[in-house]
């Protein structure tokens, strides 16, 4: 049977259309299979890259145990992690096969700027691509052909949002308040003034190095003065983790430890805010990198605004957490209590970054606030869990970063190594460190009773290591030629300081005759001409009273208000508000005072209660004169009682004359805050 011509044509068209649809379905099925295979391969490579870092950390932990067992101190765990990272980086860079690349460059000569997101139409299907950075023309056919190299190269935001928060929070949460506040004035001077001095000295010296590079033809792109200042801020972030670990293991002098630890904690915060202020420096006019007074003062305002705002945000978050844990029954559920504490602490960092502040500063002061207030409200289980949780996170995050540093030396695709810039950077760092340690120590010693000795100053000069914070700041922006050179140089500086300076810490302690094997609660004997407050008898009382005498005056002024009002409001410790607030605030005091306050019999035995003297414990010592609270005294000594009756003698008159004040005691509900003759800076 023969079909009509029209019917045959119609059938032919239907068969052709069905064939096209079948071909399209077959092609679409092949594309789906290919896509699934690529997704599976990508997932496998992600797992391998994470497994690589986990194996690195595992190997580091086992080697640390071996080093501790053999008492090896020439290499710290962070330096060990960097060595393992270097080995794995060499294997990945030169030992793994390269993947076949199908990338084809397209020219967009009419565009004057890169696009952050690009939509590409391929046969009617749209694909989205994101900007990863600029590629030099010489490397256009060799960019990240190895998929594993691309997988182990993390986004810089991973360091800031995931790895840095537990490191910084742990520094604040584990702060030993006694020695920290005893040297608070000196620590603030080193952290703020010292970091600013170091930043500007390094920045100006490096600007001279850049001019020299341009003169000899070693500078292939622009490198502005603001870039040099930014490098000065980045590289001024010290991280003497190796030195502090050895100090802790050898029980080195506690005041030296407090100075180095306190400077490094606050120095990181200052460095990151300072770098943000330099980035915000934008003069008006055609030359956006020339000096402009208005832009300079604007940057200063940005620095003050960011730092104060971040400080307030961290403190407020800590206060909110303290109130929540105080006025709820979360202590009955330690798991929920620990989880809330963890989330509130971590969210402080992200909240500050989202609001345009600095998360490092916020989470640092959040940690200090949590340790001072919230910790007192936690159950016994939660106290132990939070301490151990953040200690473990700090250990893993820090070693992860140092392992990644070793990897980055070979996996980072945009390294720019300039011998002149590297040598100049080492010289500038040395001079910048010396220019703020020695002059500041000289001026601080003018107001300190216990001077910062020359061997302490030399050790602080030697201990100016660079570490995780400098690396994180440098890797955050590597889009330009100058920033790539700064990152590569920072990486080498971290390697040198961790390996060479960290390894030389023990010999340097011996060479400088710095005390080791010292009990952290033991203090050197007081000098004969010092005014000392003693509390009872025994070493514990002497330790507490040395802290009373020497803590920075700024902290002592704040302590009375904190002890009488903030602690009772935010915690279950301290005196009841019904005894400290005016009688007109009785209703508010009863609402804010929990029954646990009245049941707490150990409320005056906190770590920071070293400043509190009870009526029966007061003893004043000045040279050979002793004045006791019960009226007894040594030779040539007058007696005094706490009810105001006083029998004066020539020795007592001399004491009052030297004190330069009448009643030098502030009394609150039977508790006395005693202020010393001299202040520590």
């Amino acid at each position: 049977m023969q079909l009509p011509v029209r019917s045959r044509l119609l059938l032919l068209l239907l068969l052709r259309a069905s064939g096209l649809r079948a071909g399209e379905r077959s092609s679409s099925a092949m594309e789906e299979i290919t896509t699934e295979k690529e997704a599976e391969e990508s997932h496998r490579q992600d797992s391998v890259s994470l497994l690589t870092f986990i194996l690195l950390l595992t190997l580091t932990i086992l080697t640390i145990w071996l080093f501790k067992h053999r008492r090896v101190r020439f290499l710290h765990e962070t330096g060990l992690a960097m060595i393992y990272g270097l080995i794995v980086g060499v294997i990945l860079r030169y030992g793994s096969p390269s993947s076949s690349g199908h990338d084809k460059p397209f020219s967009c000569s009419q565009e004057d700027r890169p696009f952050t997101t690009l939509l590409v139409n391929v046969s009617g299907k749209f694909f989205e691509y994101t900007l990863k950075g600029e590629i030099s023309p010489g490397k256009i056919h060799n960019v990240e052909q190895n998929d594993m190299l691309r997988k182990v190269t993390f986004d810089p935001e991973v360091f800031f949002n995931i790895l840095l928060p537990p490191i910084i929070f742990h520094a604040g949460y584990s702060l030993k308040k006694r020695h920290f506040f005893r040297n608070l004035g000196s620590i603030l001077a080193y952290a703020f003034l010292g970091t600013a001095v170091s930043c500007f000295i390094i920045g100006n010296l490096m600007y001279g190095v850049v001019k020299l590079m341009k003169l000899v033809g070693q500078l292939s792109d622009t490198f502005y003065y603001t870039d040099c200042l930014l490098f000065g801020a980045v590289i001024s972030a010290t991280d003497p983790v190796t030195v502090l670990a050895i100090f802790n293991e050898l029980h080195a002098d506690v005041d030296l430890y407090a100075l180095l630890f306190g400077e490094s904690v606050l120095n990181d915060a200052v460095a990151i805010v300072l770098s943000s202020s330099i980035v915000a420096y934008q003069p008006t006019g055609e030359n956006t990198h020339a000096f402009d007074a208005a832009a300079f003062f604007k940057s200063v305002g940005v620095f003050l605004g960011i730092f104060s705002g971040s400080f307030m945000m961290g403190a407020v978050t800590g206060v909110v957490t303290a109130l929540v844990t105080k006025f709820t029954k979360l202590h009955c559920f330690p798991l929920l209590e620990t989880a809330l504490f963890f989330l509130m602490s971590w969210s402080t960092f992200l909240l500050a970054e989202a609001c345009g502040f600095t998360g490092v500063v916020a989470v640092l002061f959040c940690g200090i606030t949590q340790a001072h207030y919230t910790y007192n409200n936690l159950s016994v289980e939660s106290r132990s869990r939070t301490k151990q949780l953040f200690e473990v996170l700090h250990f893993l995050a820090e070693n992860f970063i140092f392992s990644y540093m070793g990897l980055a030396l070979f996996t980072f695709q945009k390294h720019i190594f300039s011998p002149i810039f590297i040598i100049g950077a080492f010289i500038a760092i040395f001079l910048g460190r010396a220019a703020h340690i020695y002059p500041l120590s000289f001026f601080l010693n003018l107001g300190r009773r216990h001077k910062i000795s020359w061997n302490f100053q030399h050790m602080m000069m030697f201990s100016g290591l660079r570490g995780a914070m400098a690396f994180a700041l440098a890797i955050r922006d590597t889009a330009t030629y100058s920033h790539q050179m700064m990152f590569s140089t920072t990486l080498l500086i971290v390697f040198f300081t961790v390996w060479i300076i960290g390894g030389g810490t023990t010999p340097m302690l011996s060479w400088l005759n710095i005390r080791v094997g010292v009990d952290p609660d033991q203090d050197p004997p007081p000098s004969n001409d010092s005014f000392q407050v003693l509390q009872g008898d025994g070493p514990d009382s002497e330790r507490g009273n040395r802290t009373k005498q020497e803590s920075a005056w700024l902290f002592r002024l704040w302590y009375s208000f904190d002890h009488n009002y903030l602690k009772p409001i935010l915690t279950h410790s301290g005196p009841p508000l019904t005894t400290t607030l005016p009688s007109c605030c009785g209703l508010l005091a009863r609402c804010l005072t929990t029954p646990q306050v009245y049941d707490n019999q150990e409320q005056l035995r906190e770590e920071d209660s070293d400043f509190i003297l009870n009526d029966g414990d007061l003893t004043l010592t000045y040279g050979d004169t002793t004045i006791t609270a019960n009226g007894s005294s040594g030779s040539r000594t007058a007696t005094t009682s706490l009810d105001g009756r006083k029998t004066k003698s020539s020795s007592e008159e001399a004491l009052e004359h030297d004190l330069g004040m009448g009643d030098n005691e502030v009394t609150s509900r039977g508790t006395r805050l005693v202020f010393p003759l001299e202040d520590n800076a």
Side-chain angles (χ1 to χ4, degrees):
M1 178 180 177
Q2 189 174 6
L3 295 175
V5 176
R6 181 178 297 179
S7 299
R8 281 183 293 176
L9 288 175
L10 181 60
L11 180 60
L12 183 61
L13 290 175
L14 289 174
L15 289 174
R16 182 174 296 179
S18 61
L20 289 175
R21 285 194 295 270
E24 290 178 357
R25 286 196 298 269
S26 176
S27 176
S28 177
M30 291 298 295
E31 289 180 0
E32 290 179 359
I33 293 174
T34 303
T35 302
E36 290 177 359
K37 288 184 177 180
E38 290 178 352
E40 184 179 352
E41 180 67 17
S42 177
H43 173 71
R44 185 187 68 82
Q45 291 176 353
D46 288 337
S47 301
V48 171
S49 63
L50 291 176
L51 178 63
T52 301
F53 285 104
I54 291 176
L55 292 178
L56 276 175
L57 293 176
T58 304
L59 186 60
T60 302
I61 291 172
L62 293 176
T63 313
I64 290 170
W65 168 82
L66 181 62
F67 277 24
K68 290 183 179 295
H69 181 67
R70 298 293 182 183
R71 299 185 182 276
V72 177
R73 296 192 181 98
F74 67 88
L75 185 63
H76 186 250
E77 60 198 44
T78 53
L80 189 66
M82 293 171 69
I83 292 176
Y84 287 147
L86 280 172
I87 296 173
V88 175
V90 170
I91 295 174
L92 291 177
R93 184 71 176 85
Y94 300 106
S96 57
S98 299
S99 58
S100 58
H102 301 283
D103 297 335
K104 180 180 179 182
F106 292 91
S107 298
C108 299
S109 56
Q110 297 180 352
E111 302 297 334
D112 57 353
R113 63 180 181 84
F115 294 99
T116 304
T117 303
L118 188 65
L119 294 178
V120 179
N121 185 350
V122 181
S123 302
K125 295 181 179 180
F126 290 89
F127 298 88
E128 181 181 1
Y129 296 85
T130 57
L131 177 67
K132 299 191 68 174
E134 184 181 0
I135 303 170
S136 61
K139 299 181 180 179
I140 194 168
H141 298 293
N142 300 311
V143 174
E144 293 186 337
Q145 293 297 312
N146 190 323
D147 289 335
M148 279 303 300
L149 291 182
R150 183 171 61 250
K151 293 295 182 182
V152 297
T153 303
F154 285 94
D155 190 323
E157 294 304 314
V158 172
F159 292 96
F160 266 79
N161 295 332
I162 297 178
L163 298 178
L164 275 185
I167 295 176
I168 303 300
F169 182 86
H170 178 263
Y173 194 53
S174 62
L175 184 69
K176 291 179 172 35
K177 291 179 285 185
R178 179 185 165 225
H179 299 293
F180 179 85
F181 287 113
R182 193 165 77 187
N183 298 277
L184 182 61
S186 301
I187 290 171
L188 292 176
Y190 286 127
F192 284 86
L193 291 178
T195 305
V197 169
S198 176
C199 168
F200 283 99
I201 288 179
I202 294 175
N204 283 280
L205 290 176
M206 294 310 299
Y207 188 63
V209 172
V210 168
K211 289 294 185 182
L212 177 62
M213 293 173 60
K214 186 175 182 180
L215 186 64
V216 299
Q218 295 294 318
L219 197 66
S220 58
D221 206 338
T222 56
F223 208 120
Y224 298 107
Y225 177 67
T226 51
D227 294 326
C228 296
L229 286 180
L230 179 62
F231 178 72
V234 167
I235 210 65
S236 294
T238 60
D239 186 17
V241 57
T242 305
V243 176
L244 292 176
I246 294 175
F247 278 15
N248 190 48
E249 185 177 353
L250 296 178
H251 299 291
D253 190 281
V254 289
D255 284 329
L256 178 60
Y257 183 94
L259 288 172
L260 275 175
F261 178 79
E263 181 203 5
S264 66
V265 168
L266 295 179
N267 163 272
D268 288 347
V270 175
I272 191 172
V273 179
L274 196 58
S275 62
S276 300
S277 304
I278 293 172
V279 171
Y281 176 80
Q282 303 213 343
T284 57
E286 296 182 359
N287 190 355
T288 57
H289 294 275
F291 178 78
D292 185 281
F296 172 77
F297 286 110
K298 179 183 177 182
S299 295
V300 173
V302 169
F303 175 86
L304 297 176
I306 291 179
F307 196 93
S308 58
S310 303
F311 165 76
M312 289 300 299
M313 187 165 292
V316 167
T317 306
V319 166
V320 170
T321 310
L323 290 173
V324 171
T325 54
K326 177 182 178 180
F327 292 105
T328 61
K329 297 294 184 179
L330 274 175
H331 63 272
C332 299
F333 307 94
L335 179 62
L336 299 180
E337 191 177 37
T338 305
L340 177 67
F341 183 94
F342 174 80
L343 294 176
M344 291 292 289
S345 302
W346 202 306
S347 64
T348 305
F349 184 93
L350 302 177
L351 179 63
E353 291 289 334
C355 294
F357 296 110
T358 300
V360 170
V361 179
V363 79
L364 171 64
F365 287 101
C366 176
I368 296 175
T369 307
Q370 301 276 46
H372 191 59
Y373 297 115
T374 311
Y375 184 81
N376 296 291
N377 299 335
L378 300 178
S379 60
V380 176
E381 295 88 343
S382 295
R383 291 182 183 183
S384 177
R385 286 177 178 177
T386 54
K387 286 282 187 182
Q388 294 176 359
L389 173 63
F390 280 101
E391 186 176 4
V392 171
L393 289 176
H394 163 263
F395 173 82
L396 293 177
E398 190 170 61
N399 281 278
F400 185 96
I401 289 179
F402 279 94
S403 297
Y404 186 80
M405 288 183 197
L407 280 171
L409 188 62
F410 294 98
T411 60
F412 186 70
Q413 301 290 317
K414 305 170 186 176
H415 278 306
I416 299 178
F417 295 103
S418 172
I420 298 178
F421 192 86
I422 293 170
I423 296 173
F426 274 99
I427 296 174
I429 289 170
F430 177 82
L431 296 177
R433 182 73 177 170
H436 93 258
I437 290 294
Y438 295 114
L440 278 180
S441 299
F442 171 78
F443 288 110
L444 289 171
N445 281 338
L446 298 178
R448 287 178 61 101
R449 170 183 292 114
H450 295 278
K451 311 299 183 185
I452 304 174
S453 59
W454 280 106
N455 58 346
F456 277 25
Q457 296 179 40
H458 295 329
M459 193 67 215
M460 293 180 68
M461 170 70 191
F462 178 81
S463 303
L465 282 75
R466 271 61 180 179
M469 179 56 69
F471 174 80
L473 287 174
I475 200 176
R476 196 172 193 181
D477 182 7
T478 57
T480 63
Y481 168 84
S482 59
H483 288 189
Q484 292 165 10
M485 184 182 296
M486 288 158 49
F487 172 70
S488 302
T489 305
T490 301
L491 202 56
L492 293 181
I493 291 172
V494 173
F495 286 160
F496 177 84
T497 56
V498 170
W499 287 339
I500 305 302
I501 297 180
T505 300
T506 304
M508 184 62 69
L509 285 171
S510 176
W511 186 62
L512 293 175
N513 295 320
I514 294 176
R515 296 188 310 157
V516 295
V518 179
D519 185 351
D521 295 330
Q522 177 185 355
D523 295 308
S527 56
N528 293 331
D529 60 346
S530 63
F531 168 72
Q532 189 180 8
V533 182
L534 302 179
Q535 182 177 358
D537 299 321
D540 292 338
S541 60
E542 292 182 10
R543 169 174 56 85
N545 297 304
R546 177 177 162 87
T547 305
K548 299 181 189 72
Q549 173 189 353
E550 296 177 358
S551 294
W553 62 270
L554 182 64
F555 179 72
R556 292 200 310 275
L557 291 179
W558 167 79
Y559 179 80
S560 178
F561 175 77
D562 173 69
H563 177 75
N564 290 328
Y565 302 105
L566 294 183
K567 270 288 184 71
I569 292 175
L570 301 177
T571 70
H572 299 302
S573 60
L577 287 172
T578 52
T579 63
T580 58
L581 287 177
S583 57
C584 60
C585 303
L587 179 61
L588 179 63
R590 286 190 295 272
C591 293
L592 295 177
T593 303
T594 58
Q596 290 91 326
V597 173
Y598 300 100
D599 298 334
N600 187 6
Q601 301 298 321
E602 302 292 329
Q603 60 186 6
L604 297 181
R605 297 184 183 179
E606 308 168 71
E607 291 182 8
D608 59 345
S609 63
D610 291 333
F611 299 89
I612 300 177
L613 292 178
N614 295 322
D615 290 343
D617 297 330
L618 182 61
T619 303
L620 305 182
T621 304
Y622 187 77
D624 61 344
T625 301
T626 304
I627 306 174
T628 59
N630 59 9
S632 63
S633 62
S635 61
R636 295 183 291 128
T637 303
T639 60
T640 182
S641 61
L642 295 179
D643 58 3
R645 296 188 304 273
K646 187 181 298 184
T647 304
K648 294 188 177 182
S649 68
S650 58
S651 299
E652 185 178 1
E653 290 174 355
L655 172 61
E656 289 187 351
H657 175 72
D658 289 335
L659 288 175
M661 48 191 159
D663 294 333
N664 196 34
E665 300 172 353
V666 178
T667 305
S668 175
R669 36 170 269 298
T671 298
R672 295 179 184 272
L673 303 180
V674 179
F675 295 83
L677 172 64
E678 299 174 358
D679 290 340
N680 242 10

